[in-house]
Amino acid sequence: MPEPHMRPRKSGGPVKRLKPARPANPAGPPRLLGFHKPYGVVSQFTPEGRWQGLKDFIDVPGVYVAGRLDGDSEGLLLLTNDGQLQARIADPRHKMAKTYWVQVEGIPDAAALQQLRDGVALKDGKTLPAQVRMLDPQPAMWPRHPPIRVRQSVPDCWIELIIREGRNRQVRRMTAAVGHPTLRLVRMAIGPYTLDGLEPGQWTDLAL
């Protein structure tokens, strides 16, 4: 996976879930932040119920989320102070690829992986074709807090899934539809921007 030009800066806190605000023209130079969102943080600055908000981690004024990530998912979240850049990243019409590493229950066979590639019939319509592969070797991921619930009698594995849509809980619904519920979901990249070099709760300025 290509490594973005990152200048590590500082760690922070959680994220929350509201309809993303649209930044006006930036007062200063355009900025793009990459944040490694931990589990339990919503994609908004205000906390929501049991979920933490982004304000606990990021103290940069005037930036807004570009493409949300559910509270029970982890990984790369982008924020910017530039409205046009936010639209290019977040709007599914621009079809920016989003790369996920997905821990699923069971071991998908070739037919299940091909179903994901071809598109899965969901209640809101068939998904677009996706890129899918079994991760080999299986990754050694950082611990999640709390850890996932596993069934000792059922194996699990990690797959990579690359999609260009942004439906609500799409990846989880796709894997469930082919018989392999998602246990853990981590977004590793959005377009050319990756999670490389960021620990959970850390953010950095990304090169534009």
Side-chain angles (χ1 to χ4, degrees), residues 26-176:
R31 292 183 71 180
L32 180 64
L33 310 184
F35 173 57
H36 185 159
K37 189 188 85 64
Y39 177 91
V41 177
V42 287
S43 299
Q44 60 191 39
F45 280 87
T46 312
E48 184 175 281
R50 65 191 178 100
W51 303 116
Q52 288 180 281
L54 291 172
K55 69 181 182 63
D56 296 327
F57 300 97
I58 301 170
D59 59 357
V60 178
V63 295
Y64 299 87
V65 170
R68 62 184 299 280
L69 190 60
D70 290 328
D72 57 353
S73 300
E74 307 161 67
L76 182 63
L77 188 69
L78 298 179
L79 301 96
T80 182
N81 62 347
D82 184 283
Q84 290 185 335
L85 178 58
Q86 184 194 40
R88 287 202 304 272
I89 294 168
D91 193 327
R93 290 176 298 180
H94 295 288
K95 300 211 169 23
M96 186 171 280
K98 299 173 182 67
T99 302
Y100 296 90
W101 283 8
V102 193
Q103 187 177 15
V104 297
E105 189 172 89
I107 309 297
D109 59 15
L113 295 176
Q114 192 60 46
Q115 272 187 277
L116 293 170
R117 291 187 190 102
D118 293 341
V120 179
L122 303 177
K123 288 184 178 179
D124 53 355
K126 187 175 180 179
T127 61
L128 294 176
Q131 296 171 250
V132 187
R133 68 183 179 98
M134 188 80 71
L135 288 171
D136 183 22
Q138 291 281 283
M141 303 296 281
W142 57 88
R144 199 194 82 169
H145 304 289
I148 63 166
R149 295 178 181 177
V150 295
R151 293 192 289 168
Q152 298 301 323
S153 60
V154 179
D156 58 70
C157 70
W158 286 88
I159 63 173
E160 180 180 81
L161 182 60
I162 302 175
I163 62 174
R164 295 176 181 272
E165 298 179 274
R167 304 189 203 182
N168 184 46
R169 300 182 75 78
Q170 179 174 340
V171 171
R172 295 177 187 275
R173 291 191 291 145
M174 288 175 68
T175 66

Side-chain angles (χ1 to χ4, degrees), residues 34-35 69 74-78 187-190 193-195 198:
F35 173 57
L69 190 60
E74 307 161 67
L76 182 63
L77 188 69
L78 298 179
R187 186 158 65 196
M188 301 299 293
I190 300 173
Y193 306 106
T194 80
L195 203 57
L198 287 175

